[in-house]
Amino acid sequence: MTENDPHAHDSAAGRQNPGAQPGTEGQAAWSQPTAPGASPAPASGEQPTYGEQPTYGEQPTYGEQAQQQNPGYATANPWSAQGAQTGPMGYNNPYPPTGGTTQQQYAAPGTYSVPPAPAPKKSGPGKLLAAVAAIALVIGGVAGGTVGYLTGGSSGPSVNALDQPKPAQQTGNAPAGSIESVAQKLSPSVVELQVSGRTAAGEGSGFVLSTDGYILTNNHVVEVAANGGQIQAVFQDGRKAAASVVGRDPTTDIAVVKVNNVSGLTPVELGRSDDLRVGQPVVAIGSPFELSGTVTSGIVSSLHRPVQAGGDETDQTTVMDAIQTDAAINPGNSGGPLANMNGQVIGINSAIYSPNSGQGGQGGQAQGGNVGIGFAIPIDQARRTANDIIKTGHATQTFIGAKVADAPQGGAQLGDITPGSPAEKAGLKSGDIVTKIDDRTIDSADTLIAAVRTRAPDEKATFTLSGGRTVQVTLGGQPVPAN
């Protein structure tokens, strides 16, 4: 994949392309452990394995991805949390195609033998008699109590919960730092986006950036409306207003839309994502399955997950340096906020990993649901991209100017170096294997791309190469092509 060319990366995660040419990104497929066999006789039949990961329905295919095996690295192929049918590439597209199905197989549950019950210990006559006496006492006690109840009548007046008065209504504000307080603060700023184009329609989420109507969301939520489609924003109080695309960046799966003829909206408070900690609680708000204003909670499960989601039909891809969370995220949550317990937005819910649970739905395809693995775009990166879009109408992408592929021994191997690029100016050569950027370990091409894109143009980064040599690179910036 050409790291500095947003049209060159393939996001068809989880598929192997044995015919891939050098210079393309590799992606390890999700692996499924084999459950223990049944005892005493092993389970018969072939062990099911994952089939081809589902791909975008009517979404871009991003060209042929070069997959190179990296035994030490496996990257999640998430499904987008967009509100629609799940397409064939691990990405929930709100605009499903007609016809065709994507079948995904699962590893069969393991069968486990039931251990035999232990043999009873032998005991002497004294122990047996004591046991019989104890049983008799228990039975006698129960029988005596029963007779006493039947002959003694009711022990007192009956009490019925239906006759009790209602408790006092809740008063006062929600406790600070509670899920309730976060929901109260953020819900007025979260909108449902109903989107339609010439051939498809769907819905997702977004949140208000400004009082005059700028809304931040995912590119994959609104891309079908980018060329002549329609977007309608539905607010918490039921108001509806038409919106239009200001700009979008398929390479980061970020878009900004503007609601027309509105004022006095409630903007969110943006937090920061560079100091998040694994385990800290978070809250997600959005419109899963068109259920607007849905609030869920969980924790930050992991940080710096390089995952692929989003893109369009011009072979562009998103590799984001994602926040992983177990807060319930489902189709329709895409574009909604992920917030800390102060009610500050720290991420944009963008993707989920969710195996197909069966067949059905429009076009015979199944919708993915939450399994506790969701991904959000860090707000630091989203803030920078949104600011570019609002000020200039287009996004700026950070790049180094080199093709990148997975190195067989781990790391990211550089391919062709673009003349005059930041990589060439720093002295990087084709064949160099990057193993670290600053203090972050680089174990694959996707990790390198995610680490570069999460930084700002003109930022300096120290690249560590295999063998221990270090090179300082001043990262470049280039406009993302409009489409």
Side-chain angles (χ1 to χ4, degrees):
M1 160 271 171
T2 304
E3 182 278 332
N4 66 321
D5 180 1
H7 293 276
H9 181 68
D10 177 14
S11 67
R15 294 184 293 173
Q16 298 297 324
N17 180 3
Q21 297 300 318
T24 57
E25 277 188 38
Q27 175 82 20
W30 280 81
S31 60
Q32 175 85 351
T34 304
S39 176
S44 63
E46 183 178 306
Q47 175 70 28
T49 59
Y50 282 109
E52 180 177 318
Q53 286 286 353
T55 59
Y56 295 92
E58 194 93 355
Q59 278 296 99
T61 58
Y62 308 119
E64 294 296 325
Q65 169 150 355
Q67 296 289 344
Q68 300 185 12
Q69 289 285 29
N70 181 1
Y73 176 75
T75 300
N77 178 18
W79 291 14
S80 156
Q82 171 64 20
Q85 298 300 331
T86 305
M89 186 174 87
Y91 178 72
N92 270 313
N93 184 357
Y95 326 108
T98 56
T101 61
T102 300
Q103 177 70 40
Q104 185 175 17
Q105 295 178 307
Y106 305 88
T111 54
Y112 302 87
S113 58
V114 179
K121 296 180 180 180
K122 295 182 179 180
S123 58
K127 292 182 180 180
L128 178 59
L129 289 174
V132 172
I135 293 173
L137 288 173
V138 172
I139 295 176
V142 172
T146 302
V147 171
Y149 176 79
L150 291 177
T151 59
S154 175
S155 59
S158 72
V159 177
N160 191 327
L162 299 176
D163 298 330
Q164 303 304 308
K166 292 182 180 179
Q169 288 186 328
Q170 299 184 63
T171 59
N173 296 325
S178 66
I179 298 170
E180 182 184 359
S181 68
V182 175
Q184 288 180 356
K185 179 177 179 178
L186 270 183
S187 292
S189 305
V190 181
V191 300
E192 179 182 355
L193 296 176
Q194 299 173 347
V195 184
S196 63
R198 287 173 292 182
T199 60
E203 60 89 29
S205 304
F207 53 91
V208 176
L209 289 176
S210 66
T211 57
D212 59 349
Y214 283 109
I215 292 174
L216 188 58
T217 185
N218 286 142
N219 170 69
H220 73 260
V221 170
V222 300
E223 63 183 341
V224 75
N227 298 305
Q230 295 181 339
I231 304 173
Q232 181 172 250
V234 183
F235 295 90
Q236 182 195 36
D237 59 6
R239 287 183 298 163
K240 298 181 180 181
S244 57
V245 176
V246 177
R248 58 195 185 91
D249 180 9
T251 67
T252 58
D253 198 21
I254 291 171
V256 176
V257 301
K258 179 73 159 54
V259 179
N260 305 319
N261 303 318
V262 298
S263 62
L265 299 180
T266 304
V268 298
E269 180 184 356
L270 299 179
R272 57 188 302 165
S273 52
D274 60 352
D275 64 350
L276 294 176
R277 298 177 182 178
V278 173
Q280 78 174 75
V282 288
V283 174
I285 305 179
S287 303
F289 299 107
E290 302 185 35
L291 300 172
S292 61
T294 296
V295 178
T296 58
S297 65
I299 62 168
V300 173
S301 302
S302 186
L303 296 167
H304 305 301
R305 288 290 197 206
V307 297
Q308 301 177 4
D312 63 19
E313 295 180 355
T314 59
D315 198 26
Q316 293 179 319
T317 185
T318 294
V319 179
M320 60 180 176
D321 196 38
I323 303 164
Q324 182 181 330
T325 180
D326 68 348
I329 298 173
N330 285 289
N333 273 113
S334 278
L338 185 70
N340 60 24
M341 301 312 290
N342 293 321
Q344 301 166 330
V345 178
I346 50 87
I348 305 175
N349 300 318
S350 182
I352 58 176
Y353 178 76
S354 182
N356 278 345
S357 58
Q359 296 300 309
Q362 185 175 353
Q365 294 176 338
Q367 279 192 320
N370 171 66
V371 294
I373 304 176
F375 302 99
I377 302 167
I379 198 61
D380 291 350
Q381 179 179 358
R383 180 201 289 260
R384 185 174 66 250
T385 301
N387 200 36
D388 287 343
I389 290 173
I390 292 172
K391 289 183 177 179
T392 68
H394 62 78
T396 301
Q397 180 189 78
T398 308
F399 77 107
I400 61 171
K403 291 184 178 179
V404 186
D406 289 345
Q409 299 81 17
Q413 184 169 2
L414 304 183
D416 294 340
I417 307 294
T418 303
S421 66
E424 184 188 58
K425 292 177 181 177
L428 292 172
K429 305 294 184 183
S430 177
D432 284 344
I433 297 176
V434 181
T435 58
K436 290 181 70 175
I437 294 183
D438 294 331
D439 294 329
R440 178 174 178 176
T441 299
I442 303 299
D443 55 8
S444 71
D446 279 358
T447 307
L448 173 61
I449 295 167
V452 168
R453 287 184 178 171
T454 196
R455 289 167 165 79
D458 298 325
E459 186 176 330
K460 297 183 185 302
T462 300
F463 284 43
T464 301
L465 308 180
S466 60
R469 183 167 69 96
T470 61
V471 177
Q472 189 174 67
V473 181
T474 300
L475 305 176
Q478 62 185 6
V480 175
N483 43 50

